[in-house]
Amino acid sequence: MTVGGIIVARGRTYGGPVDGPHGWRSTSAYTAAVTVGILLLATSVLAGRADIALIGIPGLLAATWAHAGRPATPLRADLHEPSGPTTPGELAATLRLAAGSGGGADDGADVVHLRITAPGHRTTHLTLAARPQNHAREQAQDRAVPLGLSSVRTGPQQTFTVDLRGSRHGTWEEEPTQVRAATRLVLPGAAPLGRLPLPRRLRGLTGPHSSRRLGDGTELRDIHPFTPGDRLRRIDWRTTARRSPELDTLYVRRTYSTAEATAVLVVDSRDEVGPDVRTWRGYGTIRVDEPTSLDLARHAAASVATALVEAGDRVGLEDLARRRRPLPPSAGRRHLRRLVHGLALAHPKDPASAHRVRPPQLPADAIVYLFTTLLDDDPLHLVRTWRTAGHPVVVIDTLPDVHPVIESHLAIAWHIGRLEREDRIAALDGEGVPVVRWAGSQRDQAAVRFEALAHAARRHIPGRTP
């Protein structure tokens, strides 16, 4: 978190109104000045000593001057931030303080005490002048305090809460008020990927890939005698001259048609776990500098979607924790923005309402990219159902690298869960379902793994040469 350019902690912000009362009250310093002044005057009268009265008179004069200058304008504050979703990293906002009514600089607070909090960050206490000091008094009614924080987390995020209280001359203070930030939506980023695995059958009449069907394209299928319906520009005159010197038969070059692939991204957002096992049951706070399983799933899905859309393919999105209508497969940069926005909205729901009786319905000839932690058996049932229907499936493992567990009971529980998870991965591998790890140091190897899978799938397409 940064306040006025000074780094304090890490996190992010949003704007909101001030809530609460705006009454002014005297401080203990004002009460002490009046009480001590009266006691000293009474003592001087009883003791007949004028020197004691000279000590108490300044305190009473100061209290009288402070009472005459009692502020009449409440302190107002607002948090301002650029509207719309944002991306992970440094996020900035501006806290604007209005300490006067505009008619003068002596009717409001001169000092503001701030307490800035954000989930997962240290609480920051700050005291600053209510008005900028480098402008004329009649022009310096508002002060802008830049705030900033950073986080690797994505999706809906809770942001700043600012508690503030104005004071004047140390003798008057305002009732504390609060600026509570709204939930901010952070869009996931995308990592560059190369070729990705594609379905066995391609759809559409045009696209970036060569299908197994005859049509206009660039990849040669065979040389065939001319038949009615063939285009004259397809005639291969060299082959015709070699095979039919008398030009009795014309030969044409036939090519594979170009087509587009259909992919469906299925995000398992039923749970969200971090590297610390102690936070898996909802106890404690997940650190903002460590991505969770859902953060990794959003990042991986955004990377796959970006690579497929840029290649001209059609991509859809399904969320296992949401019963709302999924995003149907489509192409284009506008659809990619819808996909990324849908990924940012993915978050865990109530476990009782997140159970799906049937797996999501998929378009024909679509490849499935499943992003899951493999912490239960539901992903296995989904994969087997889709493969029975003829859909190739690629599983992306989004469980973060788990920190060493110290507590004995948690260590035993994680050991059992890890063994069960390894059994599921082994079962998928035995059934020919590739599992790509997307966490820690293995995230950098995901692109190489995808490239190898794409090359292997290309070699095994019937009717194609490696």
Side-chain angles (χ1 to χ4, degrees):
M1 182 188 305
T2 58
V3 179
I6 303 175
I7 297 178
V8 183
R10 297 177 160 283
R12 32 169 321 166
T13 72
Y14 198 83
V18 173
D19 299 326
H22 301 294
W24 288 89
R25 63 187 179 188
S26 59
T27 64
S28 58
Y30 176 85
T31 304
V34 174
T35 303
V36 172
I38 294 177
L39 289 177
L40 290 177
L41 286 179
T43 303
S44 66
V45 172
L46 295 176
R49 296 183 56 181
D51 55 340
I52 300 178
L54 294 177
I55 299 175
I57 289 177
L60 291 176
L61 292 177
T64 303
W65 172 76
H67 183 76
R70 179 176 181 175
T73 303
L75 176 67
R76 301 184 182 276
D78 287 287
L79 276 173
H80 297 274
E81 187 181 60
S83 60
T86 185
T87 55
E90 291 292 334
L91 303 168
T94 302
L95 177 64
R96 295 193 176 277
L97 303 174
S101 61
D106 297 328
D107 58 353
D110 55 1
V111 176
V112 181
H113 306 275
L114 302 176
R115 182 178 64 186
I116 308 172
T117 59
H121 299 78
R122 296 189 303 271
T123 300
T124 302
H125 295 270
L126 188 66
T127 300
L128 68 161
R131 301 177 181 83
Q133 303 299 318
N134 55 346
H135 297 282
R137 276 192 166 188
E138 60 274 6
Q139 298 177 353
Q141 295 301 323
D142 297 345
R143 175 165 186 173
V145 182
L147 306 176
L149 47 81
S150 61
S151 175
V152 300
R153 305 290 302 281
T154 57
Q157 299 292 323
Q158 296 295 326
T159 56
F160 277 142
T161 299
V162 180
D163 297 296
L164 63 155
R165 183 184 62 192
S167 65
R168 181 168 179 80
H169 301 317
T171 56
W172 296 100
E173 62 182 8
E174 193 179 10
E175 293 290 338
T177 57
Q178 187 179 86
V179 180
R180 183 176 295 276
T183 302
R184 186 68 173 166
L185 186 65
V186 181
L187 300 180
L193 298 177
R195 291 190 306 172
L196 298 176
L198 300 176
R200 301 182 182 91
R201 293 184 180 181
L202 303 178
R203 308 180 67 187
L205 299 177
T206 59
H209 312 291
S210 297
S211 68
R212 293 179 296 169
R213 298 177 297 178
L214 289 174
D216 292 334
T218 59
E219 187 170 348
L220 177 65
R221 182 181 188 273
D222 58 12
I223 303 295
H224 193 271
F226 184 88
T227 57
D230 290 337
R231 297 183 180 182
L232 296 178
R233 64 184 180 90
R234 291 290 184 180
I235 298 177
D236 190 339
W237 294 106
R238 291 186 179 182
T239 303
T240 300
R242 185 173 61 255
R243 294 187 178 183
S244 179
E246 302 298 332
L247 299 180
D248 297 333
T249 303
L250 299 178
Y251 289 89
V252 296
R253 298 171 60 90
R254 298 195 303 182
T255 58
Y256 290 104
S257 64
T258 54
E260 59 191 6
T262 302
V264 177
L265 311 179
V266 181
V267 179
D268 187 1
S269 61
R270 296 170 302 153
D271 54 9
E272 183 175 13
V273 296
D276 191 354
V277 179
R278 294 173 296 181
T279 62
W280 287 15
R281 297 294 297 176
Y283 301 102
T285 303
I286 302 177
R287 296 179 53 176
V288 295
D289 57 346
E290 295 179 339
T292 64
S293 60
L294 196 50
D295 294 327
L296 296 177
R298 296 190 188 103
H299 181 249
S303 303
V304 173
T306 302
L308 291 174
V309 170
E310 290 180 350
D313 296 321
R314 301 169 61 87
V315 185
L317 176 62
E318 277 275 4
D319 189 350
L320 295 183
R322 297 170 68 91
R323 296 180 180 273
R324 298 177 60 183
R325 183 179 178 182
L327 284 176
S330 185
R333 303 296 300 179
R334 180 177 297 179
H335 182 67
L336 178 60
R337 290 194 292 269
R338 288 196 294 265
L339 289 173
V340 175
H341 191 273
L343 290 172
L345 292 176
H347 62 280
K349 297 287 187 181
D350 183 12
S353 62
H355 179 69
R356 302 183 70 126
V357 179
R358 297 179 180 179
Q361 298 297 317
L362 304 178
D365 304 328
I367 185 172
V368 182
Y369 287 88
L370 176 60
F371 305 86
T372 179
T373 57
L374 293 171
L375 290 176
D376 56 19
D377 293 331
D378 288 348
L380 270 68
H381 301 328
L382 293 175
V383 170
R384 288 164 181 167
T385 302
W386 288 327
R387 284 176 58 84
T388 303
H391 297 286
V393 181
V394 178
V395 177
I396 291 87
D397 181 9
T398 59
L399 183 70
D401 294 335
V402 178
H403 294 167
V405 183
I406 301 177
E407 294 84 349
S408 59
H409 63 288
L410 291 178
I412 295 174
W414 165 237
H415 181 70
I416 296 175
R418 180 174 55 83
L419 293 178
E420 293 177 347
R421 183 173 175 275
E422 291 176 355
D423 291 341
R424 298 185 188 100
I425 296 177
L428 291 174
D429 185 68
E431 297 176 9
V433 179
V435 179
V436 180
R437 180 83 171 132
W438 194 281
S441 59
Q442 299 185 20
R443 187 190 311 180
D444 300 333
Q445 305 297 325
V448 179
R449 176 66 168 157
F450 282 133
E451 185 78 19
L453 293 175
H455 181 68
R458 182 180 178 86
R459 290 189 306 169
H460 288 84
I461 293 180
R464 299 288 300 277
T465 57

